[in-house]
Amino acid sequence: MFMFSRSICCANLNQLSTFETLFSNLKLRPYATPLIGPLQTCESRIYSREKAEYANVNWDELGFALTKTDYMYVMNFTEEEQKFFNGTLTRFGNIEMCPSSGILNYGQGLFEGLKAYRKEDEGILLFRPQENALRMKIGADRMCMPSPTVDQFIDAVKKTVLANKRWVPPYGRGSLYVRPLLMGTGRNLGVKPSSDYTFLVYASPVGNYHKGDLNLMVEDNVRRAIPGGTGGIKAVTNYSPVYKPLTEAKAKGFSDLLFLDASTGSNIEEGSACNIFILKGNVISTPTTHGTILPGITRKSIMEIASDFGYQVEERAIPIKEVFDAEEIFCTGTAMVVKSVASITYQGKRIEYKLGAETLAQKLHATLTGIQTGLIEDKLGWTMLID
């Protein structure tokens, strides 16, 4: 229950009307009703939160795979309009595009990843969506693409989550992974930027990215990114080139790869989809993002939390030899959150690390997820209540 004074109650009638109009315009199914009930009378001064309804999902069996939800959001940029406009919610499904589109022929595309979390009271929180919006703008500039404004990006994410809110897992049993895509969809036969673009947002409930121990193998031949390339943005072309060595590593029983820098082949950079940290004493180190490493939002958040814990956090070049005497190693990412590394294998030598409840990684994970789910007070303004 939420108590409001009579003056506040009356002052917010227009806001309530706007809120109800928003949901009616979304043309949602009956299950997707506002959690804030209708105003009975100003004399009552009481609002109640309706009990959330959930999709028919076995939440305890969720992994990191696509579960089709109800709606996706689509907004277009055309050569004539020269701006993104008329974003709409539509049923989740396949899309059509010209065979000569920029995304299909030349890989002109970006994506982002963020999550929506259910609170104990069944409200829904987003975690630092403005950071994803800004990172997409940086990536779009590098890929010679227009991008949605920060407000357009966040509005699209909000609408996608609210339209699919029955797919947001119950508190503590997963999250709704939100995937914004920016694609060159204009007709292009020659090598040049697309004329038209599509911004699309879809979502899927997910559980843990890696359910077992995280065992890394150092990739000694293939480089994930090169100086002057696109390793520092979420270009779609960054990921498939590592499929071959990653598939080979998994066939040998490893969870993921740890890539080395292209310039010297002697410094660690990141995993196939995660940043990495090493702990020695009171010092936490992570590789510097010099354009070859993605500046992860989870990475950034963990650095701030660790500093608040009293650790000295540094960004620097980290020689591969330093993993041999690290006390603890952990990885971070939107999908992975924070996870301890159980072992690293390099040129046939395997090093094992501390795991369990007493690790720094576990403490950082508990703090971060506590903030993300509203269990811990968000003093940094990272979360956004949307429901």
Side-chain angles (χ1 to χ4, degrees):
M1 292 290 193
F2 300 97
M3 304 296 295
F4 296 83
S5 71
R6 181 178 306 182
S7 61
I8 295 176
C9 176
C10 294
N12 282 279
L13 283 172
N14 289 335
Q15 293 178 4
L16 179 62
S17 175
T18 300
F19 185 79
E20 291 174 337
T21 300
L22 169 64
F23 275 85
S24 66
N25 288 340
L26 292 182
K27 299 180 180 178
L28 303 182
R29 290 180 171 183
Y31 57 75
T33 53
L35 288 184
I36 296 180
L39 181 67
Q40 302 302 317
T41 65
C42 276
E43 295 298 326
S44 68
R45 304 191 298 277
I46 296 176
Y47 291 82
S48 62
R49 182 184 292 281
E50 294 179 11
K51 186 173 178 59
E53 294 184 37
Y54 293 97
N56 184 21
V57 174
N58 185 344
W59 305 111
D60 297 323
E61 295 298 320
L62 280 178
F64 198 87
L66 178 67
T67 297
K68 293 182 180 180
T69 53
D70 298 316
Y71 293 94
M72 61 186 184
Y73 182 95
V74 180
M75 183 167 57
N76 293 307
F77 176 105
T78 65
E79 190 173 24
E80 294 75 23
E81 292 286 340
Q82 286 294 302
K83 65 179 180 180
F84 282 96
F85 65 101
N86 294 343
T88 58
L89 284 165
T90 185
R91 296 294 299 186
F92 179 87
N94 295 338
I95 60 174
E96 292 185 2
M97 64 178 68
C98 179
S100 69
S101 63
I103 181 68
L104 294 179
N105 288 257
Y106 303 112
Q108 192 185 23
L110 297 162
F111 71 89
E112 276 295 329
L114 64 158
K115 288 178 176 177
Y117 298 86
R118 187 80 68 171
K119 298 174 62 183
E120 281 188 305
D121 67 1
E122 298 190 322
I124 298 172
L125 292 172
L126 293 177
F127 184 71
R128 308 190 79 171
Q130 66 280 1
E131 294 287 336
N132 295 91
L134 291 169
R135 189 168 66 182
M136 176 168 275
K137 290 185 75 66
I138 293 170
D141 181 69
R142 173 65 180 83
M143 298 290 284
C144 205
M145 305 169 74
S147 62
T149 66
V150 171
D151 288 342
Q152 285 176 322
F153 181 102
I154 294 176
D155 180 64
V157 169
K158 284 182 179 180
K159 287 177 177 175
T160 304
V161 172
L162 290 174
N164 294 296
K165 68 179 184 178
R166 73 188 185 112
W167 298 93
V168 181
Y171 170 79
R173 298 172 72 183
S175 58
L176 186 72
Y177 183 85
V178 183
R179 171 62 62 83
L181 291 167
L182 181 60
M183 304 172 287
T185 47
R187 299 176 181 181
N188 249 21
L189 189 58
V191 180
K192 62 179 180 179
S194 182
S195 55
D196 299 339
Y197 296 86
T198 298
F199 176 64
L200 186 151
V201 185
Y202 69 93
S204 173
V206 297
N208 292 330
Y209 191 71
H210 287 290
K211 289 192 174 183
D213 287 344
L214 186 57
N215 296 295
L216 305 181
M217 185 185 82
V218 177
E219 174 51 54
D220 210 13
N221 296 308
V222 176
R223 302 293 181 251
R224 178 189 172 275
I226 60 172
T230 59
I233 61 173
K234 286 190 77 71
V236 298
T237 50
N238 288 351
Y239 296 85
S240 57
V242 307
Y243 288 173
K244 181 174 171 53
L246 181 59
T247 300
E248 292 171 349
K250 288 187 174 183
K252 297 176 182 177
F254 296 102
S255 314
D256 202 349
L257 292 171
L258 177 58
F259 291 94
L260 301 176
D261 72 300
S263 297
T264 70
S266 61
N267 297 320
I268 63 173
E269 288 213 322
E270 61 181 335
S272 61
C274 58
N275 295 119
I276 192 165
F277 291 79
I278 69 171
L279 171 67
K280 293 182 181 181
N282 195 53
V283 180
I284 300 171
S285 302
T286 190
T288 307
T289 57
H290 278 318
T292 57
I293 297 173
L294 185 73
I297 295 163
T298 306
R299 171 186 181 273
K300 180 178 180 179
S301 305
I302 286 300
M303 291 171 69
E304 294 184 51
I305 293 171
S307 293
D308 288 344
F309 281 0
Y311 286 89
Q312 178 183 332
V313 181
E314 58 183 25
E315 298 177 84
R316 62 179 177 85
I318 302 176
I320 181 61
K321 64 183 181 181
E322 290 195 27
V323 305
F324 294 121
D325 58 0
E327 297 171 26
E328 189 179 331
I329 294 183
F330 56 90
C331 292
T332 65
T334 298
M336 184 177 294
V337 191
V338 184
K339 190 172 180 66
S340 294
V341 172
S343 72
I344 292 179
T345 299
Y346 177 55
Q347 295 180 344
K349 182 177 180 180
R350 177 184 171 100
I351 312 100
E352 297 185 348
Y353 305 98
K354 181 171 65 173
L355 301 174
E358 297 305 312
T359 60
L360 172 61
Q362 189 60 36
K363 295 172 184 175
L364 291 169
H365 182 278
T367 301
L368 180 62
T369 56
I371 294 171
Q372 290 171 330
T373 59
L375 186 64
I376 295 175
E377 181 184 359
D378 176 15
K379 297 180 180 179
L380 298 169
W382 286 348
T383 58
M384 179 182 292
L385 181 66
I386 63 168
D387 186 44

